[in-house]
DNA sequence: CAGCAGCATGCAATCGTTTTCATCGATGTG
DNA sequence: CACATCGATGAAAACGATTGCATGCTGCTG
């Protein structure tokens, strides 16, 4: 026998009317006691709250949502939760949402861009707004999605939709400045997927920064943003005869590190490597990866913030956006360039 | 201007009555056309479906839930999404839930056991059932939680609650048999948190298996189940004078590997290391970690399966459980034991 | 003392569905 | 031909909450 909640009903819902009866008031008063607390006598309110407490009453959000039109739910769509970049973002979203008393619906598209729009539509009716993380869908689909629900996108910009982005250009500037200061004059960039907005941004940032430092840039193929992509790119990097390389993300950088070690290339002695993202793994590798860190949880919180703001000022499809800073984290994969530059041995 | 959905309403909901009007039938018929399809004339049904399609109608789940008592939602509570073990499980849950046309509410407790019960209560009204991943709460709290909602727990057993567990004992048997076959006679086990049910299971499994192989077991302190825990434990392992060590999880094993390398201990030459979990990182390390792999996505799917089953047979609080197999994955951190055993150099 | 302002509360309609019950033709049978 | 049967459909009552409106009470003012 467990301790029951006074009434003895283990599963049947206790409604607003039960509370009303227990407190000797009407249902409306109970409702008011919970929301517009100003319109009800403080004493009555206290009475109601106590009765509710005792009965273990919790408002039924679905019923409330039906009439108010607001569900208190948020949708969240990510391409792949197994990608170590996303869990931290999701945690940030979750945490901030809970603070604002919102619940979060999570959907993982498994990297299928064509599933994204469908999920938005399916979710639209059950939520007040949707956060799209690094969406892969087309710009047309984005517009259509925006017509279904209040949207905020993370890690992409365009279609006049409120967005949280990362200051990739500045991040790249920091990375390149760091390398240049170490004497590197010929720098490689291992590009991620061509279709990725982030990749284009980072590529742009690297180009600008390298030009500003008066150094030379070698762009190395588009590879999938995974460990294997880095493994595959390593030989190209060696052949490119650079003294330092920046990878589109940490996973690629880690792949590089592994293959470079296998090829007998000393990092950072012969070659410096810089990643982007700062996924937890990067600190655990040896040598620990120098990387451009992105405040992932902060991105998540900011996305919720922006969504809440959109929700609060309805009708205003203002194209608000927010850019979070990136920050270079120097660890053990970058060092001064080899004095002679190349071919030494 | 975007293509609108025929009616021109970008945000206002299209209800069952709109469809009814458009199809020239009553609301009841539309409802039936969507659910109990048998009670409606196939031709009428076709008509309704076409009208709904054209208007872009999607049933409002909240309204439906209000009357049926079933929400079509599932709750999911995890201790820490940033722990690389969980994302895969969550993906499995998500995928299976979507197949069954359920949506998933995600909550992350940030490793705070005292938050778990509160989240269960908050979620209970909005979902048909809740999946608790590796819950840290007390047994009493578990019982109370089970009174709030239909529950399935993953990675823990007890309180007569349906559970998905891993066959830790067999996993340990495989690991120990592998090591014994390589000639190891003195084996270490680096224990995880004392409060963890999994740790107790694994410890028990190792003891049994080591005894069965007639080898010697050295148990090494309880450490936090993180990389840092492994780093800290490495020196104890060296001092324990074993030729092989099994860690409570991969994160600890990876920490061991890192610190052992720093101490100049050759793995697997001088010491073999086995992890548990098979997190993605483990394959990327060098040397790649030999580990007892757990089918994480399958755990997730099984949990949903079990929950759905509980939901289908209401009232039957049968203590169903399901155990998924673990499987040893031999990679590069295990090798034959040093011939002389210890102190060699 | 009458009248009125203003506050606290209750009544009832409503949100978008499902579901029970009744209705209405059409069909089959004695 | 009349009556029971049956299948398809519609009308209306729920589900649990919110909210505009009406009501009753208190207390103040002229």
């Amino acid at each position: 026998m467990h301790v029951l909640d006074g009434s003895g009903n283990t599963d049947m819902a206790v409604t607003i009317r039960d509370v009303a009866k227990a407190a000797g008031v009407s249902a409306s008063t109970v409702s008011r006691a919970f929301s517009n607390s100003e319109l009800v006598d403080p004493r009555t309110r206290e009475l109601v709250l106590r009765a509710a407490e005792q009965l273990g009453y919790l408002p039924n959000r679905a019923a409330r949502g039906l009439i108010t039109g607001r569900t208190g739910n948020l949708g969240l769509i990510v391409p792949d939760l197994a990608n170590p970049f996303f869990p931290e973002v999701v945690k940030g979203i979750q945490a901030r949402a809970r603070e604002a008393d919102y619940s979060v619906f999570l959907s993982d598209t498994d990297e299928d861009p064509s599933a994204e729009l469908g999920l938005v539509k399916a979710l639209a009716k059950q939520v007040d707004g949707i956060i799209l993380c690094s969406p892969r869908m087309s710009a047309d689909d984005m517009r259509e999605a925006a017509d279904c629900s209040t949207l905020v996108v993370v890690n992409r910009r365009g279609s006049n939709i409120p967005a949280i982005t990362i200051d990739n250009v500045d991040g790249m500037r920091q990375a390149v400045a760091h390398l240049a200061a170490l004497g590197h004059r010929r720098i490689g960039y291992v590009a991620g997927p061509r279709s990725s907005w982030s990749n284009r941004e980072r590529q742009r940032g690297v180009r600008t920064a390298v030009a500003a430092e008066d150094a030379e840039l070698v762009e190395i193929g588009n590879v999938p943003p995974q460990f294997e992509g880095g493994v595959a790119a390593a030989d190209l990097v060696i052949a490119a005869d650079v003294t330092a390389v920046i990878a589109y993300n940490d996973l690629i950088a880690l792949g590089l590190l592994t293959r470079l070690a296998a090829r007998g290339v000393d990092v950072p002695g012969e070659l410096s490597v810089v990643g982007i993202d700062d996924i937890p793994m990067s600190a655990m590798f040896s040598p620990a990866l120098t990387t451009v860190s992105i405040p992932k949880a902060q991105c998540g919180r900011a996305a919720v913030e922006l969504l809440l703001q959109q929700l609060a000022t309805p009708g205003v499809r203002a194209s608000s956006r927010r850019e979070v800073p990136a920050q270079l984290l120097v660890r053990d994969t970058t060092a001064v360039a080899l004095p002679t530059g190349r071919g030494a041995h």
Side-chain angles (χ1 to χ4, degrees), chain A:
Chain A
M1 281 298 114
H2 340 112
V3 182
L4 294 180
D5 52 352
S7 65
N9 49 358
T10 31
D11 54 345
M12 198 45 209
V14 30
T15 85
I16 205 173
R17 257 175 281 270
D18 299 328
V19 178
K21 196 174 300 177
V25 298
S26 80
S28 338
T29 304
V30 176
S31 170
R32 279 187 275 255
F34 274 87
S35 40
N36 304 345
S37 34
E38 311 318 326
L39 299 183
V40 60
D41 187 296
R43 287 190 308 269
T44 321
R45 177 150 168 271
E46 188 58 29
L47 204 68
V48 170
L49 260 31
R50 209 187 311 275
E53 168 77 36
Q54 193 175 347
L55 265 56
Y57 167 78
L58 279 176
N60 180 326
R61 288 184 146 207
R64 168 181 296 177
L66 198 52
I67 189 150
T68 61
R70 309 188 59 252
T71 62
N73 296 148
L74 242 82
L76 171 55
I77 301 181
V78 299
D80 180 15
L81 205 58
N83 178 332
F85 178 80
F86 292 113
E88 284 290 341
V89 178
V90 174
K91 285 195 71 155
I93 289 174
Q94 235 290 127
R96 183 66 188 90
R98 180 148 61 240
E99 286 171 15
D101 211 33
Y102 273 82
S103 299
V104 176
F105 273 120
L106 176 75
S107 272
D108 181 308
T109 66
D110 243 329
E111 293 283 4
D112 177 6
S114 67
E116 294 179 344
L117 184 56
L119 281 175
V120 169
K121 284 183 175 165
L123 238 43
K125 282 278 168 48
Q126 317 182 56
V127 302
D128 296 336
I130 298 182
I131 297 178
L132 239 44
C133 269
S134 312
R136 269 69 159 152
M137 65 174 79
S138 73
D140 278 354
D141 281 2
M142 286 268 282
R143 267 185 294 272
E144 192 175 344
D147 282 340
C148 297
S149 181
T150 305
L151 237 55
V152 164
V153 353
V154 176
N155 240 331
R156 175 159 161 177
R157 190 177 292 177
S159 307
N160 223 37
I161 293 172
I164 303 292
T165 51
I166 291 138
D167 193 344
N168 282 301
V169 171
D170 184 65
M172 296 301 93
R173 190 195 52 70
Q174 293 179 49
V176 172
H178 169 61
L179 292 174
L182 288 170
H184 297 274
R185 318 261 20 117
R186 189 173 155 84
I187 298 172
Y189 174 72
V190 179
R194 206 184 305 272
S195 64
S196 155
W197 182 85
S198 295
N199 179 58
R200 288 195 297 274
E201 282 289 291
R202 289 170 188 183
Q203 201 148 19
R204 188 165 67 83
V206 170
R207 282 180 191 148
T208 318
V210 168
E213 295 288 349
D214 214 18
E216 205 179 336
L217 176 65
V218 183
E219 303 192 9
I220 295 162
N222 294 85
V223 303
Q226 278 125 34
F227 185 81
E228 292 71 25
V231 172
D235 301 302
L236 302 179
V237 170
I238 295 174
D241 199 32
V242 296
T243 61
V245 60
I246 299 175
Y248 163 68
N249 71 7
D250 278 7
L251 242 24
I252 294 179
L254 261 17
L256 283 177
L257 250 35
T258 300
R259 175 70 182 159
L260 288 172
R263 288 277 311 264
V265 176
D266 178 41
V267 173
E270 299 174 62
L271 185 64
S272 289
V273 176
V274 179
I276 306 173
D277 277 356
D278 188 25
I279 60 178
M281 266 172 94
S282 302
M284 304 180 192
F285 247 67
S286 14
L289 183 68
T290 292
T291 188
V292 177
S293 176
I294 290 171
K296 296 170 280 296
Q298 189 185 327
C299 283
R301 301 189 79 91
V304 175
E305 214 73 65
L306 197 51
L307 188 50
L308 256 32
Q309 190 180 310
Q310 291 299 105
L311 256 27
T313 61
V316 185
R317 173 79 81 70
S319 165
S320 9
R321 36 184 65 142
R322 163 109 184 271
E323 197 164 57
V324 302
Q327 171 153 24
L328 179 70
L329 218 56
V330 177
R331 290 199 278 237
D332 308 334
T333 56
T334 45
V336 291
L338 276 184
T340 48
R342 55 200 84 159
H345 230 247

